[in-house]
Amino acid sequence: MEKIEHIGIAVKSLKDATAIYETLLGCASYKTEEVISEHVLTAFFKIGDSKIELLEASSRQSAIATFIEKRGEGIHHIAFAVDNILEEMARLKAEGFTLLNEVPKIGADNKMVCFVHPKSANGVLIELCQEIK
Ligand code: ZN
């Protein structure tokens, strides 16, 4: 894996949270995007080489809605940039990690993504992401 690409934060209101993070980070969100397949609205901030992704559920089927119901707002996942997502998925699977999707999905911010079950990683949801070129 190359680096932490972004940290995902589950929020109740993207609008309210965006205002807070714009003040906190001293910069404007560079992108908002709806990921229909994941039922989320996202806003991205760039801080040096890393990003912050705010996530609001766009429907009750969203994993973000379930997360907030159970645990409240907060850090939802850590995403690592990978060069070859298929190779990393195969490597992690061979090492015994549980992948939440068997084939890469199209995620936010022009990425192919795969999630690793939090039970495999000490309670932290891990996202692998590879930039679509
Ligand atoms: Zn993410």
Side-chain angles (χ1 to χ4, degrees), residues 1 3-8 44 50-51 53 76-82 111 113-115 124-129:
M1 301 203 195
K3 62 170 186 179
I4 293 178
E5 213 279 336
H6 64 268
I7 294 175
F44 281 89
S50 304
K51 295 169 188 161
E53 174 186 34
H76 177 258
H77 64 270
I78 297 179
F80 293 95
V82 298
K111 299 281 193 299
V113 303
C114 174
F115 288 94
V124 178
L125 177 64
I126 302 292
E127 175 184 345
L128 310 176
C129 59

Side-chain angles (χ1 to χ4, degrees), residues 77-95:
H77 64 270
I78 297 179
F80 293 95
V82 298
D83 211 28
N84 183 328
I85 196 165
L86 293 172
E87 266 178 26
E88 281 298 330
M89 288 169 69
R91 182 180 73 83
L92 294 180
K93 205 173 169 184
E95 295 282 2

